[in-house]
Amino acid sequence: MLGMPNSLLKLPRVLLSHKHRALFILTLMLVSFAYLTLYWRIAEDSYGSGLYNLPGEFNCAHSVPFSLPNAGEPSPSRGNVFFVETSERTNPGYLFSCSVESAARTHPRTSVVVLMKGLAKGNASLPKHWVFSLLSCFPNVEIRPLDLPELFSGTPLKKWYLWPLRRWEPYFLPVLSDACRIVLMWKFGGIYLDTDFIVLRNLQNLTNSLGIQSEDELNGAFLSFKPKHRFMALCMKDFVKNYNAWIWGHQGPHLLTRVFKKWCPIRTIQSMSCKGVRALDPEAVYPIPWQDWKKLFEAISASELHKLLKNTYAVHIWNQMNHRTRLEIPSQALLAQLYSQFCPATYAKMKQD
């Protein structure tokens, strides 16, 4: 009988060795996955929904001449103005400060609620940072932790959010922001604004509306809806049903555009009102198209500024495009003039720095 070749004798040992190695790698992956899941659960549990005490080092009387409504005046119940920060960031900059300040000034009898994921539950004091000190001068500004599990509870997005691998998707933070805004509008109603808006006038007459950012596309950087509105319910349903984490804007501008076209139904979006929901002309909240963002840093005369903003409620600054661009303070640049007129306390801090 012929002897079995040595190579064949070694084969079972090699296969067994590979099997043990594969089993070891699989075990390591499962342990790592369990650890990461536990980490994120603990991290999420560390955020709550309590109101923080705002630090008060800023000289409010000198730099924020802010007038409260007269005693006895009824407060309109049209909902809050919401800002959301979905990253862990707790050191906001000038544009963030200007966004909240300008909203607080133009909505003096409305709560301006800033929800920040990086704020820890149980700590009654905010981080010592000049933005929080400045915003403490406005009695209608509230800074709260962003409690995501609580926010998404009772909505179609709860299961979507709880998937453990969600945080490793390529556009997780912007998609999370897209999710937060539609759930906030559905649950509570009011006004949602991105933290790169400068608000020029009161927005509360723009109920059940959103803005056209460019030809045939809506944007959710500004939303204004009554609570439990069916349009927002359809947005939540589309968010889950047509979810795609790999396309930029698919859960944001593309989603709102898809839902609005079905809502009407139409093929092309233009400034219009359809079944009680308004698509606002670009000049209302997106007077500077994102393609022309450099105009924000170009000099403009007072008359040109007045003409440009004649029918504008707020200006989207497209921070994602221009955050590396230096703004000269003081100057006649359009953005510098917006800071000066609509968030003067933030502008004074910019000049000081």
Side-chain angles (χ1 to χ4, degrees):
M1 188 176 191
L2 294 174
M4 187 177 292
N6 288 337
S7 59
L8 292 179
L9 288 171
K10 293 179 181 177
L11 183 60
R13 291 197 296 271
V14 172
L15 291 174
L16 187 62
S17 174
H18 282 298
K19 182 179 179 180
H20 287 160
R21 196 173 299 166
L23 184 60
F24 173 77
I25 293 172
L26 180 61
T27 303
L28 185 62
M29 291 175 64
L30 289 172
V31 171
S32 300
F33 176 77
Y35 170 79
L36 289 169
T37 302
L38 179 63
Y39 170 82
W40 283 107
R41 293 286 186 184
I42 293 172
E44 293 299 350
D45 289 342
S46 69
Y47 307 122
S49 57
L51 177 63
Y52 272 63
N53 293 328
L54 289 158
E57 297 94 353
F58 209 83
N59 188 346
C60 301
H62 173 70
S63 47
V64 187
F66 182 72
S67 58
L68 286 167
N70 296 327
E73 282 189 20
S75 297
S77 56
R78 298 185 184 179
N80 300 327
V81 177
F82 290 101
F83 292 93
V84 175
E85 177 58 65
T86 53
S87 75
E88 301 291 339
R89 182 185 180 198
T90 57
N91 59 336
Y94 300 117
L95 184 52
F96 179 105
S97 176
C98 184
S99 296
V100 179
E101 178 186 345
S102 62
R105 288 180 181 277
T106 50
H107 300 80
R109 288 179 288 178
T110 301
S111 291
V112 177
V113 180
V114 183
L115 301 171
M116 302 186 72
K117 186 174 180 291
L119 299 181
K121 180 181 178 181
N123 185 351
S125 299
L126 283 165
K128 290 188 179 298
H129 189 276
W130 69 266
V131 169
F132 300 126
S133 296
L134 185 152
L135 295 178
S136 71
C137 300
F138 297 91
N140 58 333
V141 172
E142 301 176 13
I143 312 288
R144 300 177 184 176
L146 174 60
D147 187 340
L148 290 166
E150 174 62 27
L151 177 62
F152 293 132
S153 66
T155 76
L157 278 74
K158 178 182 178 180
K159 187 176 179 181
W160 164 85
Y161 174 70
L162 292 178
W163 187 55
L165 297 182
R166 186 69 64 204
R167 294 157 184 81
W168 282 268
E169 292 176 349
Y171 306 122
F172 173 66
L173 285 181
V175 169
L176 181 60
S177 178
D178 293 330
C180 288
R181 68 191 68 185
I182 61 176
V183 172
L184 281 168
M185 289 296 95
W186 184 78
K187 275 193 168 184
F188 307 108
I191 296 165
Y192 167 83
L193 291 167
D194 275 0
T195 54
D196 57 350
F197 258 109
I198 297 180
V199 186
L200 315 187
R201 62 182 75 177
N202 193 287
L203 299 162
Q204 290 183 318
N205 289 331
L206 304 178
T207 309
N208 298 335
S209 62
L210 63 172
I212 300 172
Q213 73 164 6
S214 58
E215 185 178 352
D216 199 38
E217 187 166 53
L218 297 167
N219 192 308
F222 157 80
L223 295 172
S224 177
F225 280 87
K226 293 181 179 178
K228 304 298 188 294
H229 196 283
R230 185 167 167 260
F231 184 85
M232 284 292 110
L234 291 174
C235 288
M236 291 192 298
K237 183 178 179 180
D238 185 282
F239 188 99
V240 175
K241 181 180 179 181
N242 299 311
Y243 187 74
N244 189 325
W246 304 97
I247 301 176
W248 175 267
H250 186 80
Q251 305 303 122
H254 300 174
L255 180 151
L256 294 166
T257 302
R258 288 194 303 270
V259 173
F260 191 81
K261 285 184 174 181
K262 292 177 183 177
W263 175 265
C264 289
I266 53 173
R267 290 186 178 182
T268 303
I269 293 176
Q270 55 187 340
S271 178
M272 62 189 299
S273 180
C274 183
K275 298 180 183 177
V277 177
R278 285 187 286 175
L280 302 172
D281 191 88
E283 69 177 347
V285 287
Y286 305 112
I288 308 294
W290 68 265
Q291 301 94 328
D292 299 333
W293 65 267
K294 290 183 179 179
K295 288 184 178 180
L296 291 161
F297 296 85
E298 297 173 0
I300 186 171
S301 68
S303 60
E304 289 176 309
L305 178 64
H306 177 75
K307 182 179 179 182
L308 175 67
L309 305 178
K310 185 177 180 181
N311 298 310
T312 299
Y313 288 81
V315 180
H316 195 218
I317 305 303
W318 309 108
N319 188 50
Q320 185 183 1
M321 308 293 296
N322 65 51
H323 66 279
R324 297 182 185 277
T325 306
R326 180 178 175 82
L327 176 65
E328 294 295 332
I329 295 293
S331 74
Q332 292 302 306
L334 171 58
L335 184 54
Q337 294 196 54
L338 292 176
Y339 272 106
S340 174
Q341 293 185 38
F342 300 102
C343 53
T346 301
Y347 184 71
K349 173 63 175 173
M350 294 172 75
K351 289 197 296 182
Q352 174 187 321
D353 293 346

